[in-house]
Amino acid sequence: MKLFLLLGVINGFLAVALGAFGAHGLEGRISEKAIATWEKAVTYQMFHTMALLVTGLLMAKFTSGSLLWAGSMFFAGIILFSGSLYIYSVTSIKTFAMITPIGGVAFLIGWVLIGTAVAKYL
């Protein structure tokens, strides 16, 4: 529980900081398309930051292996999806863009797992 709450707090901070950096520090340095990709990374990071926080709060209510895996998948998704988009935005190296769908699948698995836990325990 505590781990996912802390990861949520850290990722919330990073999402805001990276969003500001993208809006102010990268403007004029990378293409508009790359800025849009950066913004997508920030958006997905923030959405899944909230998912990490909800997972941590649900774990305070009941114990479930599904919640543990859901939180792990959300965190892995942030690293793989958003992380690869951040790097791709500033480098244009297509290999990083090919990692992004793996992070997307991790997000989807996390949502299925949290849904399973909620349906079972609430």
Side-chain angles (χ1 to χ4, degrees):
M1 168 187 84
K2 189 176 183 180
L3 173 65
F4 294 128
L5 293 174
L6 288 171
L7 287 173
V9 169
I10 291 165
N11 274 284
F13 175 89
L14 289 173
V16 172
L18 289 166
F21 177 71
H24 304 293
L26 293 177
E27 187 178 24
R29 295 175 189 230
I30 61 176
S31 70
E32 288 299 317
K33 184 179 177 190
I35 291 286
T37 299
W38 185 277
E39 289 172 353
K40 185 165 299 285
V42 170
T43 300
Y44 274 78
Q45 182 175 359
M46 187 55 83
F47 282 146
H48 291 89
T49 288
M50 295 299 118
L52 282 171
L53 293 170
V54 167
T55 302
L57 293 173
L58 286 171
M59 289 179 86
K61 187 169 180 73
F62 58 90
T63 303
S64 166
S66 293
L67 287 177
L68 178 64
W69 278 103
S72 299
M73 290 293 102
F74 291 140
F75 184 63
I78 289 170
I79 298 299
L80 295 171
F81 184 92
S82 295
S84 66
L85 288 180
Y86 290 132
I87 296 169
Y88 175 65
S89 294
V90 296
T91 66
S92 297
I93 299 172
K94 292 191 185 276
T95 304
F96 290 107
M98 295 186 324
I99 295 169
T100 306
I102 299 168
V105 170
F107 286 149
L108 292 170
I109 292 168
W111 286 112
V112 168
L113 289 170
I114 203 169
T116 301
V118 166
K120 185 175 180 180
Y121 294 103
L122 293 182

